[in-house]
Amino acid sequence: MVEGAWKSVFRQRFGFGFRSPVLSSARSSEAPSRQPTMGQIDDVLEEARMGGVGGVEIGGAGISGVGISGVARGGGGRLEELASGVFAYVQPDGGWCLNNAGLVVAPDGSSVLVDTAATEARARALRAAVLSVAPEAPRTLVNTHFHGDHAFGNFVFPEALVVGHERTRTEMLGAGLHLTGLWPDVCWGDIRLVPPALTFTGRLTLHVGDMAAELLHVGPAHTSNDTVVWLPEQRVLFAGDVVMNGATPFVPMGSVSGSLAALAALRELGPVTVVPGHGPVGGPGLLDDAEEYLRYVRGLAREGMAAGLGPVEIARGADLGAYGRWLDSERLVPNLHRAILEERGAAPGSPVDMTALFGEMIEFHGGVPACHA
Protein backbone atom coordinates (compact mmCIF):
# COMPACT_ATOMS: atom_id res chain seq x y z
CA MET A 1 0.00 0.00 0.00
CA VAL A 2 1.28 3.47 -0.85
CA GLU A 3 2.26 5.47 2.18
CA GLY A 4 0.21 8.64 2.16
CA ALA A 5 -0.68 11.35 4.55
CA TRP A 6 -2.58 8.93 6.76
CA LYS A 7 0.59 7.06 7.58
CA SER A 8 2.59 10.09 8.63
CA VAL A 9 -0.32 11.11 10.84
CA PHE A 10 -0.54 7.57 12.20
CA ARG A 11 3.16 7.48 13.01
CA GLN A 12 2.90 10.85 14.70
CA ARG A 13 -0.16 10.00 16.79
CA PHE A 14 -0.04 6.26 17.29
CA GLY A 15 3.26 4.82 16.13
CA PHE A 16 6.64 4.45 17.71
CA GLY A 17 7.06 8.21 17.85
CA PHE A 18 4.22 8.10 20.34
CA ARG A 19 3.23 10.69 22.86
CA SER A 20 4.55 10.58 26.38
CA PRO A 21 3.25 7.22 27.51
CA VAL A 22 1.59 8.56 30.50
CA LEU A 23 -0.82 9.15 30.60
CA SER A 24 -3.55 11.52 30.99
CA SER A 25 -6.99 10.72 32.24
CA ALA A 26 -8.53 12.92 29.60
CA ARG A 27 -11.72 11.62 28.08
CA SER A 28 -12.14 11.46 24.34
CA SER A 29 -13.97 14.41 22.83
CA GLU A 30 -14.69 12.48 19.66
CA ALA A 31 -17.46 10.24 21.00
CA PRO A 32 -20.91 10.81 19.53
CA SER A 33 -22.98 13.16 21.63
CA ARG A 34 -25.67 10.55 22.17
CA GLN A 35 -23.21 8.48 24.23
CA PRO A 36 -22.33 9.34 27.82
CA THR A 37 -18.81 10.49 28.52
CA MET A 38 -16.50 8.22 30.47
CA GLY A 39 -16.61 10.82 33.23
CA GLN A 40 -20.37 10.49 33.45
CA ILE A 41 -20.09 6.72 33.48
CA ASP A 42 -17.44 6.84 36.20
CA ASP A 43 -19.80 9.00 38.29
CA VAL A 44 -22.57 6.42 37.92
CA LEU A 45 -20.23 3.58 38.85
CA GLU A 46 -18.86 5.44 41.87
CA GLU A 47 -22.41 6.07 43.07
CA ALA A 48 -23.19 2.38 42.60
CA ARG A 49 -20.09 1.35 44.53
CA MET A 50 -20.95 3.70 47.37
CA GLY A 51 -24.37 2.08 47.46
CA GLY A 52 -22.78 -1.35 47.80
CA VAL A 53 -23.19 -2.49 44.20
CA GLY A 54 -20.03 -4.04 42.77
CA GLY A 55 -18.96 -5.22 39.35
CA VAL A 56 -21.19 -2.87 37.38
CA GLU A 57 -20.64 -3.56 33.71
CA ILE A 58 -21.09 -1.08 30.89
CA GLY A 59 -23.00 -2.47 27.96
CA GLY A 60 -23.93 -5.48 30.09
CA ALA A 61 -26.53 -6.16 32.69
CA GLY A 62 -25.44 -3.27 34.91
CA ILE A 63 -25.96 -0.35 32.52
CA SER A 64 -27.84 -1.04 29.31
CA GLY A 65 -28.25 0.94 26.14
CA VAL A 66 -25.31 3.29 26.64
CA GLY A 67 -23.68 2.33 23.37
CA ILE A 68 -20.29 1.51 24.86
CA SER A 69 -19.08 -2.04 25.22
CA GLY A 70 -16.66 -3.14 27.89
CA VAL A 71 -16.34 -2.13 31.51
CA ALA A 72 -15.52 1.03 33.35
CA ARG A 73 -11.92 2.14 33.32
CA GLY A 74 -9.99 0.69 36.21
CA GLY A 75 -12.32 -2.09 37.36
CA GLY A 76 -14.89 -4.68 36.45
CA GLY A 77 -12.79 -7.84 36.63
CA ARG A 78 -14.06 -10.84 38.55
CA LEU A 79 -12.53 -14.00 40.01
CA GLU A 80 -13.99 -17.36 39.01
CA GLU A 81 -12.92 -20.49 40.90
CA LEU A 82 -12.34 -23.29 38.39
CA ALA A 83 -11.02 -25.96 40.74
CA SER A 84 -9.82 -26.01 44.32
CA GLY A 85 -7.33 -23.13 44.54
CA VAL A 86 -7.46 -22.41 40.78
CA PHE A 87 -8.97 -19.12 39.62
CA ALA A 88 -9.53 -17.14 36.45
CA TYR A 89 -9.66 -13.36 36.62
CA VAL A 90 -11.93 -12.30 33.77
CA GLN A 91 -12.28 -8.71 32.51
CA PRO A 92 -15.38 -8.20 30.36
CA ASP A 93 -15.94 -7.65 27.55
CA GLY A 94 -12.62 -9.09 26.43
CA GLY A 95 -11.92 -6.53 23.68
CA TRP A 96 -8.72 -4.62 23.08
CA CYS A 97 -6.59 -4.56 26.27
CA LEU A 98 -9.28 -6.24 28.41
CA ASN A 99 -7.44 -9.48 29.08
CA ASN A 100 -7.78 -12.34 31.52
CA ALA A 101 -5.37 -13.48 34.20
CA GLY A 102 -5.06 -16.65 36.28
CA LEU A 103 -4.18 -17.58 39.83
CA VAL A 104 -3.14 -20.84 41.46
CA VAL A 105 -3.18 -20.93 45.29
CA ALA A 106 -1.86 -23.96 47.17
CA PRO A 107 -3.12 -25.06 50.62
CA ASP A 108 0.19 -23.89 52.13
CA GLY A 109 -0.54 -20.36 50.89
CA SER A 110 2.00 -20.27 48.08
CA SER A 111 0.65 -19.00 44.78
CA VAL A 112 1.43 -18.26 41.13
CA LEU A 113 -0.16 -15.51 39.09
CA VAL A 114 -0.59 -15.85 35.33
CA ASP A 115 -0.45 -12.43 33.60
CA THR A 116 -1.53 -9.06 34.97
CA ALA A 117 -3.45 -6.19 33.33
CA ALA A 118 -2.98 -3.19 31.04
CA THR A 119 -3.38 -0.19 33.34
CA GLU A 120 -2.24 0.65 36.82
CA ALA A 121 -5.82 0.84 38.10
CA ARG A 122 -6.76 -2.51 36.58
CA ALA A 123 -3.59 -4.13 37.91
CA ARG A 124 -4.31 -2.82 41.40
CA ALA A 125 -7.86 -4.17 41.15
CA LEU A 126 -6.34 -7.53 40.17
CA ARG A 127 -4.02 -7.40 43.18
CA ALA A 128 -6.95 -6.73 45.49
CA ALA A 129 -8.83 -9.69 44.00
CA VAL A 130 -5.80 -11.95 44.40
CA LEU A 131 -5.38 -10.97 48.04
CA SER A 132 -9.04 -11.73 48.68
CA VAL A 133 -8.31 -15.44 48.18
CA ALA A 134 -4.57 -15.78 48.81
CA PRO A 135 -2.97 -15.18 52.22
CA GLU A 136 -0.11 -13.21 50.67
CA ALA A 137 0.89 -11.81 47.31
CA PRO A 138 2.20 -14.30 44.73
CA ARG A 139 5.94 -14.86 44.71
CA THR A 140 5.89 -16.04 41.08
CA LEU A 141 4.28 -14.32 38.09
CA VAL A 142 4.16 -15.88 34.62
CA ASN A 143 3.73 -13.77 31.48
CA THR A 144 2.15 -15.71 28.63
CA HIS A 145 3.63 -13.25 26.08
CA PHE A 146 5.05 -9.75 25.84
CA HIS A 147 1.97 -7.65 25.07
CA GLY A 148 1.31 -4.84 27.50
CA ASP A 149 -2.26 -5.77 28.34
CA HIS A 150 -0.91 -8.96 29.89
CA ALA A 151 2.28 -7.54 31.36
CA PHE A 152 2.14 -3.80 32.11
CA GLY A 153 0.75 -4.57 35.57
CA ASN A 154 3.77 -6.68 36.59
CA PHE A 155 5.13 -3.80 38.66
CA VAL A 156 2.12 -3.95 40.98
CA PHE A 157 3.45 -7.31 42.23
CA PRO A 158 6.97 -6.37 43.40
CA GLU A 159 7.25 -9.52 45.53
CA ALA A 160 7.02 -11.76 42.48
CA LEU A 161 9.73 -13.28 40.33
CA VAL A 162 8.51 -12.70 36.76
CA VAL A 163 8.91 -15.76 34.51
CA GLY A 164 8.53 -15.95 30.75
CA HIS A 165 9.90 -17.32 27.53
CA GLU A 166 13.28 -15.83 26.60
CA ARG A 167 11.70 -13.98 23.65
CA THR A 168 9.02 -12.59 25.95
CA ARG A 169 11.78 -10.72 27.75
CA THR A 170 13.56 -9.49 24.62
CA GLU A 171 10.39 -8.45 22.82
CA MET A 172 8.94 -6.77 25.90
CA LEU A 173 12.09 -4.71 26.27
CA GLY A 174 12.05 -3.91 22.56
CA ALA A 175 8.42 -2.81 22.53
CA GLY A 176 8.58 -0.81 25.75
CA LEU A 177 5.39 1.14 26.39
CA HIS A 178 4.48 1.68 22.73
CA LEU A 179 0.99 0.25 23.31
CA THR A 180 0.11 3.35 25.30
CA GLY A 181 0.62 5.50 22.20
CA LEU A 182 -2.04 3.63 20.27
CA TRP A 183 -4.74 4.76 22.71
CA PRO A 184 -3.47 7.97 24.35
CA ASP A 185 -6.85 8.73 25.95
CA VAL A 186 -6.71 5.64 28.14
CA CYS A 187 -5.71 6.42 31.72
CA TRP A 188 -2.74 4.06 31.82
CA GLY A 189 -1.43 5.27 35.18
CA ASP A 190 2.18 5.37 36.29
CA ILE A 191 3.12 2.08 34.70
CA ARG A 192 6.69 0.77 34.79
CA LEU A 193 7.97 -2.08 32.66
CA VAL A 194 9.09 -5.20 34.56
CA PRO A 195 10.20 -7.91 32.11
CA PRO A 196 10.77 -11.55 33.05
CA ALA A 197 13.84 -12.04 35.22
CA LEU A 198 13.76 -15.82 34.78
CA THR A 199 13.46 -17.09 31.21
CA PHE A 200 13.17 -20.50 29.59
CA THR A 201 12.94 -21.93 26.07
CA GLY A 202 10.90 -25.11 25.67
CA ARG A 203 9.14 -25.93 28.92
CA LEU A 204 9.38 -25.35 32.64
CA THR A 205 7.51 -26.86 35.58
CA LEU A 206 6.53 -24.76 38.59
CA HIS A 207 5.52 -26.47 41.82
CA VAL A 208 2.85 -24.60 43.75
CA GLY A 209 2.60 -26.51 46.99
CA ASP A 210 1.67 -29.99 45.81
CA MET A 211 0.29 -28.72 42.48
CA ALA A 212 2.27 -28.79 39.24
CA ALA A 213 1.98 -25.99 36.69
CA GLU A 214 3.62 -26.75 33.35
CA LEU A 215 4.79 -23.80 31.26
CA LEU A 216 4.85 -24.76 27.59
CA HIS A 217 6.16 -22.60 24.77
CA VAL A 218 3.79 -23.13 21.84
CA GLY A 219 4.69 -20.21 19.56
CA PRO A 220 4.93 -18.75 17.08
CA ALA A 221 1.17 -18.44 17.33
CA HIS A 222 -0.32 -15.19 18.61
CA THR A 223 3.27 -13.94 18.91
CA SER A 224 6.67 -15.58 18.63
CA ASN A 225 6.83 -16.18 22.38
CA ASP A 226 3.51 -17.64 23.50
CA THR A 227 3.50 -19.64 26.72
CA VAL A 228 0.53 -21.58 28.05
CA VAL A 229 0.19 -22.73 31.65
CA TRP A 230 -1.17 -26.26 31.98
CA LEU A 231 -2.40 -27.81 35.21
CA PRO A 232 -2.48 -31.54 34.38
CA GLU A 233 -4.17 -32.72 37.58
CA GLN A 234 -6.96 -30.15 37.35
CA ARG A 235 -7.01 -30.28 33.51
CA VAL A 236 -7.13 -26.49 33.42
CA LEU A 237 -5.37 -24.64 30.61
CA PHE A 238 -4.41 -20.97 30.79
CA ALA A 239 -4.05 -20.42 27.06
CA GLY A 240 -3.02 -16.77 26.86
CA ASP A 241 -3.92 -15.14 23.57
CA VAL A 242 -3.43 -18.33 21.58
CA VAL A 243 -7.13 -18.76 22.36
CA MET A 244 -9.85 -16.12 22.71
CA ASN A 245 -13.57 -16.47 23.32
CA GLY A 246 -15.92 -14.15 21.47
CA ALA A 247 -13.00 -11.99 20.38
CA THR A 248 -11.23 -12.22 17.03
CA PRO A 249 -7.81 -13.92 17.05
CA PHE A 250 -4.83 -11.69 16.30
CA VAL A 251 -1.82 -13.34 14.70
CA PRO A 252 0.17 -10.82 12.57
CA MET A 253 3.11 -10.96 15.00
CA GLY A 254 2.91 -14.74 15.15
CA SER A 255 1.66 -17.21 12.61
CA VAL A 256 -1.46 -18.72 11.09
CA SER A 257 0.21 -22.09 10.52
CA GLY A 258 1.95 -21.88 13.90
CA SER A 259 -1.36 -21.13 15.62
CA LEU A 260 -2.95 -24.16 14.00
CA ALA A 261 -0.04 -26.32 15.17
CA ALA A 262 -0.29 -24.86 18.68
CA LEU A 263 -4.02 -25.55 18.84
CA ALA A 264 -3.44 -29.16 17.81
CA ALA A 265 -0.82 -29.52 20.56
CA LEU A 266 -3.15 -28.00 23.14
CA ARG A 267 -5.94 -30.33 22.10
CA GLU A 268 -3.62 -33.28 22.77
CA LEU A 269 -3.30 -32.17 26.39
CA GLY A 270 -7.00 -32.94 26.90
CA PRO A 271 -8.08 -29.81 28.78
CA VAL A 272 -11.49 -29.71 30.38
CA THR A 273 -11.40 -26.00 31.23
CA VAL A 274 -9.79 -23.40 28.97
CA VAL A 275 -9.06 -19.88 30.18
CA PRO A 276 -8.67 -17.77 27.04
CA GLY A 277 -6.56 -14.63 26.89
CA HIS A 278 -9.73 -12.60 26.32
CA GLY A 279 -13.39 -13.45 26.86
CA PRO A 280 -15.30 -15.88 29.09
CA VAL A 281 -13.87 -19.13 30.40
CA GLY A 282 -14.87 -22.09 28.27
CA GLY A 283 -14.04 -25.65 27.34
CA PRO A 284 -12.05 -27.42 24.62
CA GLY A 285 -14.55 -26.20 22.02
CA LEU A 286 -12.72 -22.86 22.12
CA LEU A 287 -9.78 -24.59 20.45
CA ASP A 288 -12.09 -25.69 17.64
CA ASP A 289 -13.50 -22.18 17.23
CA ALA A 290 -10.03 -20.69 16.90
CA GLU A 291 -8.95 -23.35 14.42
CA GLU A 292 -12.00 -22.85 12.23
CA TYR A 293 -11.48 -19.08 12.11
CA LEU A 294 -7.82 -19.40 11.17
CA ARG A 295 -8.62 -21.89 8.41
CA TYR A 296 -11.23 -19.43 7.18
CA VAL A 297 -8.60 -16.66 7.10
CA ARG A 298 -6.17 -18.90 5.22
CA GLY A 299 -8.87 -19.76 2.68
CA LEU A 300 -9.72 -16.08 2.18
CA ALA A 301 -6.04 -15.27 1.69
CA ARG A 302 -5.62 -17.96 -0.97
CA GLU A 303 -8.73 -16.88 -2.85
CA GLY A 304 -7.74 -13.23 -2.68
CA MET A 305 -4.21 -13.88 -3.86
CA ALA A 306 -5.56 -15.81 -6.84
CA ALA A 307 -7.69 -12.77 -7.71
CA GLY A 308 -4.76 -10.38 -7.29
CA LEU A 309 -6.23 -8.65 -4.23
CA GLY A 310 -4.55 -7.24 -1.14
CA PRO A 311 -5.62 -7.73 2.49
CA VAL A 312 -7.88 -4.67 2.73
CA GLU A 313 -9.67 -5.52 -0.54
CA ILE A 314 -10.07 -9.14 0.55
CA ALA A 315 -11.48 -8.07 3.92
CA ARG A 316 -13.95 -5.67 2.34
CA GLY A 317 -15.35 -8.41 0.17
CA ALA A 318 -15.44 -11.07 2.88
CA ASP A 319 -18.63 -12.51 4.33
CA LEU A 320 -17.67 -12.89 7.98
CA GLY A 321 -20.85 -14.69 8.93
CA ALA A 322 -20.80 -15.56 12.63
CA TYR A 323 -17.27 -14.18 12.95
CA GLY A 324 -18.70 -10.73 12.34
CA ARG A 325 -20.34 -10.99 15.76
CA TRP A 326 -16.99 -11.49 17.46
CA LEU A 327 -15.34 -8.48 19.04
CA ASP A 328 -12.68 -6.62 17.07
CA SER A 329 -13.44 -8.19 13.68
CA GLU A 330 -11.21 -5.52 12.09
CA ARG A 331 -8.30 -7.80 13.02
CA LEU A 332 -9.11 -9.69 9.85
CA VAL A 333 -6.89 -7.27 7.89
CA PRO A 334 -3.61 -7.91 9.76
CA ASN A 335 -4.48 -11.60 10.02
CA LEU A 336 -4.77 -11.72 6.23
CA HIS A 337 -1.38 -10.03 5.96
CA ARG A 338 0.20 -12.82 7.96
CA ALA A 339 -1.64 -15.51 6.02
CA ILE A 340 -0.52 -14.04 2.68
CA LEU A 341 3.08 -13.75 3.87
CA GLU A 342 3.09 -17.40 4.85
CA GLU A 343 1.52 -18.45 1.55
CA ARG A 344 4.46 -16.66 -0.09
CA GLY A 345 6.96 -18.58 2.01
CA ALA A 346 7.63 -16.28 4.97
CA ALA A 347 8.66 -18.02 8.16
CA PRO A 348 6.22 -18.10 11.07
CA GLY A 349 6.91 -15.21 13.41
CA SER A 350 8.93 -13.27 10.84
CA PRO A 351 8.91 -9.49 11.47
CA VAL A 352 6.17 -7.30 10.00
CA ASP A 353 5.62 -3.55 9.96
CA MET A 354 2.98 -3.33 12.67
CA THR A 355 2.67 0.43 12.22
CA ALA A 356 1.58 -0.10 8.63
CA LEU A 357 -0.73 -2.98 9.56
CA PHE A 358 -2.46 -0.97 12.28
CA GLY A 359 -2.84 1.85 9.78
CA GLU A 360 -4.57 -0.43 7.28
CA MET A 361 -6.75 -1.86 10.03
CA ILE A 362 -7.77 1.68 10.98
CA GLU A 363 -8.54 2.45 7.34
CA PHE A 364 -10.67 -0.68 7.04
CA HIS A 365 -12.42 -0.05 10.36
CA GLY A 366 -13.08 3.61 9.65
CA GLY A 367 -11.26 4.80 12.75
CA VAL A 368 -9.10 3.68 15.66
CA PRO A 369 -10.62 0.56 17.26
CA ALA A 370 -12.18 1.20 20.66
CA CYS A 371 -10.15 0.38 23.74
CA HIS A 372 -11.95 0.57 27.09
CA ALA A 373 -9.02 -0.28 29.33
Side-chain angles (χ1 to χ4, degrees), residues 43-137:
D43 290 342
V44 171
L45 292 174
E46 182 60 27
E47 182 179 345
R49 282 191 289 270
M50 291 177 66
V53 179
V56 181
E57 296 181 11
I58 299 171
I63 301 176
S64 61
V66 300
I68 297 179
S69 62
V71 297
R73 299 186 186 196
R78 61 177 181 269
L79 275 178
E80 299 179 12
E81 187 162 20
L82 311 176
S84 180
V86 180
F87 301 85
Y89 183 79
V90 178
Q91 296 190 98
D93 60 357
W96 289 104
C97 296
L98 293 174
N99 66 297
N100 298 333
L103 178 67
V104 181
V105 184
D108 65 4
S110 59
S111 61
V112 171
L113 182 64
V114 181
D115 284 333
T116 55
T119 69
E120 180 180 4
R122 287 186 175 277
R124 294 197 183 283
L126 169 62
R127 183 180 176 93
V130 167
L131 291 175
S132 73
V133 295
E136 60 182 17

Side-chain angles (χ1 to χ4, degrees), residues 24-371:
S24 98
S25 59
R27 308 304 189 199
S28 172
S29 61
E30 299 173 0
S33 60
R34 67 179 179 273
Q35 294 182 348
T37 67
M38 286 304 299
Q40 291 170 325
I41 291 169
D42 286 345
D43 290 342
V44 171
L45 292 174
E46 182 60 27
E47 182 179 345
R49 282 191 289 270
M50 291 177 66
V53 179
V56 181
E57 296 181 11
I58 299 171
I63 301 176
S64 61
V66 300
I68 297 179
S69 62
V71 297
R73 299 186 186 196
R78 61 177 181 269
L79 275 178
E80 299 179 12
E81 187 162 20
L82 311 176
S84 180
V86 180
F87 301 85
Y89 183 79
V90 178
Q91 296 190 98
D93 60 357
W96 289 104
C97 296
L98 293 174
N99 66 297
N100 298 333
L103 178 67
V104 181
V105 184
D108 65 4
S110 59
S111 61
V112 171
L113 182 64
V114 181
D115 284 333
T116 55
T119 69
E120 180 180 4
R122 287 186 175 277
R124 294 197 183 283
L126 169 62
R127 183 180 176 93
V130 167
L131 291 175
S132 73
V133 295
E136 60 182 17
R139 297 302 177 95
T140 307
L141 193 170
V142 179
N143 284 145
T144 59
H145 59 292
F146 79 97
H147 286 164
D149 52 339
H150 293 256
F152 278 173
N154 290 358
F155 78 98
V156 171
F157 296 88
E159 309 89 345
L161 173 68
V162 182
V163 181
H165 187 265
E166 62 180 10
R167 288 186 63 89
T168 298
R169 176 179 171 85
T170 57
E171 295 198 22
M172 191 182 298
L173 289 170
L177 301 178
H178 84 271
L179 180 65
T180 63
L182 297 175
W183 289 284
D185 290 331
V186 167
C187 183
W188 296 97
D190 186 20
I191 53 178
R192 299 181 296 281
L193 200 65
V194 179
L198 175 64
T199 62
F200 69 100
T201 52
R203 62 189 300 155
L204 180 70
T205 301
L206 298 176
H207 296 277
V208 192
D210 60 357
M211 291 189 282
E214 298 180 4
L215 280 55
L216 310 174
H217 175 237
V218 297
H222 171 63
T223 66
S224 68
N225 52 94
D226 299 292
T227 294
V228 302
V229 179
W230 167 236
L231 307 181
E233 181 179 348
Q234 294 78 14
R235 312 212 70 77
V236 174
L237 175 67
F238 294 97
D241 283 0
V242 177
V243 179
M244 302 189 190
N245 185 5
T248 303
F250 189 62
V251 299
M253 287 175 272
S255 171
V256 174
S257 61
S259 292
L260 291 170
L263 291 165
L266 297 182
R267 193 176 287 110
E268 287 297 314
L269 296 174
V272 172
T273 304
V274 177
V275 181
H278 295 252
V281 175
L286 297 183
L287 308 179
D288 299 333
D289 294 342
E291 177 182 349
E292 289 166 7
Y293 172 83
L294 292 165
R295 293 194 182 281
Y296 165 76
V297 170
R298 176 188 278 175
L300 282 180
R302 289 172 175 171
E303 293 173 7
M305 290 174 68
L309 302 177
V312 174
E313 292 77 18
I314 298 171
R316 284 179 175 153
D319 177 7
L320 286 172
Y323 302 131
R325 295 191 290 274
W326 286 2
L327 294 171
D328 310 320
S329 60
E330 66 274 3
R331 294 174 181 169
L332 176 62
V333 171
N335 289 339
L336 284 166
H337 263 284
R338 173 55 67 181
I340 290 171
L341 283 174
E342 292 184 7
E343 289 298 310
R344 292 174 174 165
S350 56
V352 295
D353 184 349
M354 284 305 301
T355 299
L357 297 196
F358 264 95
E360 291 193 4
M361 185 171 64
I362 288 168
E363 177 187 343
F364 171 74
H365 186 61
V368 179
C371 172

Side-chain angles (χ1 to χ4, degrees), residues 9-18 178 181-184 362 368:
V9 172
F10 178 79
R11 285 190 183 277
Q12 184 178 30
R13 292 189 60 198
F14 306 108
F16 294 101
F18 50 85
H178 84 271
L182 297 175
W183 289 284
I362 288 168
V368 179

